[in-house]
Amino acid sequence: GAGVSQSPRYKVAKRGQDVALRCDPISGHVSLFWYQQALGQGPEFLTYFQNEAQLDKSGLPSDRFFAERPEGSVSTLKIQRTQQEDSAVYLCASSLAGGSGATDTQYFGPGTRLTVL
Amino acid sequence: GDSVTQMEGPVTLSEEAFLTINCTYTATGYPSLFWYVQYPGEGLQLLLKATKADDKGSNKGFEATYRKETTSFHLEKGSVQVSDSAVYFCALASSYKLIFGSGTRLLVRP
């Protein structure tokens, strides 16, 4: 299909391991977002890209979290030295336009469920 | 800061019952408002949205009206189906980012 895809769908990591989560946005979408969804909670904003530029990373919980989108398409969220509190579903979303885009629809992927043991 | 509060679940209804899920928000200005739905095993899907006061969003029999006076965006459906069982999230747009409520699980029994 032409939706947002994410891989892997499930990831189990031992505490201290590094992980990389991939997001393929809808083709042509300028804006890309990462959200973190803890169990039983709503998603919380992590970071925002407009093309390859990371315009907002204010939601990243610590400097162990790093996101990139080098060619303005695929994005990777990397978590270094994972901790148990990093266990969550990581959601990627994309939208067509850039700018404030307050009314732009964000289309979400299925998420990656990360479990840190 | 901006925030969204929605009623806690789970909400359990019989098929064909009337549904209301309450949502209120706190924000500066007049943000766009959204309802997203998450079916079991699937990603978040936009259900409906409203971009200004008194707008009514509607889709698949669901409706919500943007009420500036009460800062609310309650979700309603006149007759729920078993297939509506899911988690529903109310959200507002704070510039480009979405701020979500904690979600309300709906269970519809035949």
Side-chain angles (χ1 to χ4, degrees), chain A residues 4-45:
Chain A
V4 178
S5 61
Q6 293 185 245
S7 62
R9 291 291 309 274
Y10 303 90
K11 177 69 179 177
V12 178
K14 292 183 179 178
R15 190 174 56 183
Q17 283 185 331
D18 298 349
V19 299
L21 313 179
R22 177 188 170 106
C23 172
D24 284 82
I26 295 172
S27 178
H29 277 198
V30 170
S31 296
L32 185 145
F33 306 82
W34 285 98
Y35 292 83
Q36 181 189 58
Q37 185 176 17
L39 187 64
Q41 299 298 315
E44 293 191 355
F45 171 81

Side-chain angles (χ1 to χ4, degrees), chain B residues 14 62 64 72 75 78 93 99 103 105 109:
Chain B
S14 298
F62 291 89
S72 65
L75 181 68
I99 295 175
R105 181 175 299 277
R109 294 181 170 162

Side-chain angles (χ1 to χ4, degrees), chain A residues 16-114:
Chain A
Q17 283 185 331
D18 298 349
V19 299
L21 313 179
R22 177 188 170 106
C23 172
D24 284 82
I26 295 172
S27 178
H29 277 198
V30 170
S31 296
L32 185 145
F33 306 82
W34 285 98
Y35 292 83
Q36 181 189 58
Q37 185 176 17
L39 187 64
Q41 299 298 315
E44 293 191 355
F45 171 81
L46 293 177
T47 187
Y48 161 56
F49 290 86
Q50 188 178 125
N51 294 307
E52 69 278 5
Q54 188 175 20
L55 299 185
D56 186 344
K57 54 182 182 178
S58 63
L60 296 176
S62 75
D63 58 8
R64 296 185 296 104
F65 287 71
F66 172 76
E68 60 182 4
R69 194 186 184 197
E71 297 179 357
S73 179
V74 171
S75 177
T76 303
L77 176 67
K78 298 178 180 179
I79 309 174
Q80 298 176 325
R81 304 180 305 280
T82 52
Q83 304 295 315
Q84 286 188 322
E85 61 263 28
D86 300 335
S87 296
V89 176
Y90 290 86
L91 298 170
C92 176
S94 68
S95 66
L96 181 60
S100 65
T103 60
D104 275 351
T105 296
Q106 293 188 22
Y107 297 89
F108 283 80
T112 295
R113 181 177 297 277
L114 173 65

Side-chain angles (χ1 to χ4, degrees), chain A residues 9 33 35 37 40-43 45 48 56 58 91 99-103 105-106 108-110, chain B residues 32 34 36 38 41-46 49 51 89 93 95-103:
Chain A
R9 291 291 309 274
F33 306 82
Y35 292 83
Q37 185 176 17
Q41 299 298 315
F45 171 81
Y48 161 56
D56 186 344
S58 63
L91 298 170
S100 65
T103 60
T105 296
Q106 293 188 22
F108 283 80
Chain B
S32 295
F34 305 82
Y36 277 83
Q38 191 170 40
E42 299 184 18
L44 281 169
Q45 300 175 25
L46 179 66
K49 71 179 186 182
T51 59
F89 292 92
S95 184
Y96 42 77
K97 68 181 77 168
L98 292 175
I99 295 175
F100 289 87
S102 57

